[in-house]
Amino acid sequence: MAELVLMAPESAIETISEALEALDALSVSVEDADALTEAEQALFGEPGMPPPKEGWQRSRVVALFTDAEQARQAGELLQLQDFFEGCAVQGVRPVAEQDWVRLTQSQFAPVEITPTFWIVPTWHEPPEQARQVIRLDPGLAFGTGTHPTTRMCLRWIAGHAPVGPKVLDYGCGSGILAIGAAKFGATDVVGVDIDPAAVESTRLNAEANHVQMGAGLPDAAQGEHDLVLANILATPLKVLAPLLCSHVKSGGHLVLAGILSRQADELIEAYAPWVSLSVSDEEDGWILMTARKA
């Protein structure tokens, strides 16, 4: 393995990144070349949303290749291109061989939801105090229990056990919330997502956790439920307000996440025609909003 290191202005980042990918770079990362100096430039964006800019005024681009010769040739080809004006090759550096699987696994430890409820990767033993466990490994779909929005939803489920028999997880990602609901008493659970990869991930994770549940695209969401969960983002949650509320039975619960603290009033207004939302949990600037349908 070897890395090709380049310097590039913000205006060239997108083109340079696309060119490196076309040259078979295994990965491309962009860093602030002035990081940890007085010239460091912060780029702030909304969590879960694209960054406001592709890079910094002075960006360091690091591309990973299978070997040093491939990295060197990529650098030479880039220097011949018109769009490389204002950019510079800083060099090629070797990357030490590592057990990437073991390294990746070491970054994902068991996650505590409550003292007795844990999310545990398959390569870890559950903590002794765990009485309820979801087995989940990092994958393509969102939701491994490490994000505050996921933890708040799971805490709500654990705190309201046993949940009603019928549960809908709208925007299920990895299926972690649906699996959590099934672990805490739900017997008729369905998870839906617009991404077929998320649907497949949900099915596999349900099997791994010995949970019976359905998974499909959004048209699989039918009828009314005792509990409707949606951990998405504020904008789609506002658009989905009439749909999500229509799936909550009278006396049932609606649990929404993916919302920043400052967005609470927007959500309360959007859902006001159907339910009265309130903030029931908060963590790291994110909030959990819940309502009970009359």
Side-chain angles (χ1 to χ4, degrees):
M1 294 281 202
E3 290 178 334
L4 172 65
V5 184
L6 311 169
M7 290 290 292
E10 177 193 327
S11 58
I13 293 302
E14 185 174 3
T15 303
I16 292 293
S17 298
E18 290 176 352
L20 286 165
E21 290 173 2
L23 291 168
D24 296 326
L26 300 175
S27 66
V28 179
S29 61
V30 183
E31 309 164 354
D32 184 358
D34 296 313
L36 304 179
T37 72
E38 292 183 358
E40 182 175 5
Q41 178 190 10
L43 292 183
F44 295 105
E46 296 287 354
M49 300 296 287
K53 295 182 179 181
E54 294 293 335
W56 291 264
Q57 292 178 1
R58 280 177 15 96
S59 293
R60 181 182 296 107
V61 182
V62 181
L64 180 66
F65 289 90
T66 54
D67 56 55
E69 180 61 20
Q70 187 184 26
R72 185 187 62 77
Q73 290 179 359
E76 291 177 353
L77 284 170
L78 285 175
Q79 291 178 85
L80 298 175
Q81 310 306 313
D82 293 340
F83 59 74
F84 201 72
E85 184 177 355
C87 305
V89 174
Q90 286 198 315
V92 174
R93 61 194 186 195
V95 176
E97 290 295 327
Q98 300 191 59
D99 184 339
W100 294 105
V101 172
R102 187 176 296 275
L103 181 63
T104 300
Q105 289 181 348
S106 70
Q107 297 172 358
F108 292 92
V111 176
E112 179 181 345
I113 304 303
T114 73
T116 59
F117 177 28
W118 291 71
I119 311 300
V120 184
T122 55
W123 55 83
H124 275 281
E125 287 296 318
E128 288 185 9
Q129 66 270 35
R131 296 294 175 266
Q132 192 63 268
V133 171
I134 295 178
R135 287 290 196 175
L136 198 71
D137 294 342
L140 294 177
F142 175 81
T144 60
T146 59
H147 196 275
T149 59
T150 308
R151 290 199 300 271
M152 287 190 292
C153 288
L154 290 171
R155 275 202 299 267
W156 188 96
I157 291 170
H160 290 77
V163 297
K166 292 196 65 177
V167 174
L168 170 64
D169 180 2
Y170 202 98
C172 57
S174 66
I176 188 170
L177 302 185
I179 293 168
K183 292 272 187 178
F184 281 94
T187 55
D188 184 357
V189 184
V190 62
V192 301
D193 203 289
I194 61 173
D195 184 357
V199 173
E200 180 62 18
S201 178
T202 293
R203 287 175 178 153
L204 293 173
N205 287 329
E207 290 176 10
N209 282 278
H210 310 291
V211 164
Q212 296 293 322
M213 58 170 286
L217 297 175
D219 58 5
Q222 301 290 332
E224 296 182 335
H225 298 74
D226 299 284
L227 171 61
V228 173
L229 301 151
N231 181 14
I232 315 177
L233 285 172
T235 297
L237 283 176
K238 288 190 287 186
V239 174
L240 290 167
L243 175 65
L244 293 177
C245 291
S246 72
H247 285 302
V248 184
K249 66 183 290 187
S250 178
H253 292 276
L254 177 66
V255 175
L256 307 179
I259 308 161
L260 295 168
S261 299
R262 59 178 173 77
Q263 296 170 323
D265 290 342
E266 299 174 41
L267 271 295
I268 289 171
E269 182 179 356
Y271 281 77
W274 302 278
V275 295
S276 297
L277 280 178
S278 61
V279 177
S280 62
D281 202 353
E282 184 168 3
E283 185 177 339
D284 294 341
W286 297 92
I287 56 175
L288 186 75
M289 302 195 75
T290 61
R292 191 158 194 175
K293 193 172 182 181

